[in-house]
């Protein structure tokens, strides 16, 4: 069992930055994916970034490459999503997710593969 709690969402103007945090508890060992996803009303959940804890692979959505960065603080069992140069189209509910075990995936970007989810945190970017 993995518990995930996100924080750090808010409202910013275009061009601004936010850092989301995801505190994990329960199983936080190897062979797991950690990912950030986002969703807006009427749209399917979209993968933002996925990270494989054992393979060390990180996959970003094309729409956020060069602007968003995922990082992990193993001592705090916390995953961060640094979001810079935010655009109005980045607006949405952002979810942290974990896939345990992650033996059959490398890219960790398919939201239907994930089995643990946080409650979400809202990000609103105004123009």
């Amino acid at each position: 069992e993995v518990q995930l709690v996100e924080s750090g969402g808010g409202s910013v103007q275009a061009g601004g930055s936010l850092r989301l945090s995801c505190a994990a508890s329960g199983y936080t060992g190897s062979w797991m994916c950690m990912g950030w996803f986002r969703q807006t009303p009427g749209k399917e959940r979209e993968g933002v970034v996925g990270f494989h804890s054992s393979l060390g692979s990180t996959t970003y959505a094309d729409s956020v490459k060069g602007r968003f960065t995922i990082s992990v603080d193993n001592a705090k069992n916390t995953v961060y999503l640094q979001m810079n140069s935010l655009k109005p189209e980045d607006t949405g509910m952002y979810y942290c997710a974990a896939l345990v075990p992650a033996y059959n995936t490398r890219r960790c970007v398919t939201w239907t593969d994930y089995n643990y989810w946080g409650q979400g945190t809202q990000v609103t970017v105004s123009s």
Side-chain angles (χ1 to χ4, degrees):
E1 184 92 15
V2 179
Q3 294 80 41
L4 304 168
V5 179
E6 302 104 329
S7 60
S11 297
V12 295
Q13 291 191 323
S17 298
L18 284 173
R19 189 178 77 158
L20 306 184
S21 300
C22 174
S25 58
Y27 179 82
T28 55
S30 59
W31 291 102
M32 66 183 296
C33 289
M34 293 296 297
W36 286 96
F37 297 82
R38 64 188 181 190
Q39 190 167 21
T40 54
K43 292 187 178 180
E44 187 174 357
R45 193 163 294 190
E46 172 191 22
V48 176
V49 59
F51 169 77
H52 198 294
S53 65
S54 289
L55 300 179
S57 57
T58 305
T59 304
Y60 292 93
D62 289 341
S63 58
V64 306
K65 281 181 182 177
R67 301 187 298 121
F68 289 14
T69 304
I70 189 172
S71 61
V72 180
D73 185 332
N74 290 315
K76 295 182 178 180
N77 288 334
T78 299
V79 178
Y80 301 97
L81 182 66
Q82 178 66 44
M83 306 186 294
N84 298 327
S85 302
L86 283 162
K87 304 176 181 180
E89 51 263 43
D90 294 319
T91 294
M93 184 69 77
Y94 282 69
Y95 297 92
C96 174
L99 167 61
V100 179
Y103 298 133
N104 298 319
T105 179
R106 178 181 181 89
R107 300 181 70 238
C108 303
V109 294
T110 304
W111 73 268
T112 52
D113 290 341
Y114 281 74
N115 46 2
Y116 298 100
W117 292 86
Q119 80 286 355
T121 185
Q122 178 68 34
V123 171
T124 303
V125 184
S126 58
S127 57

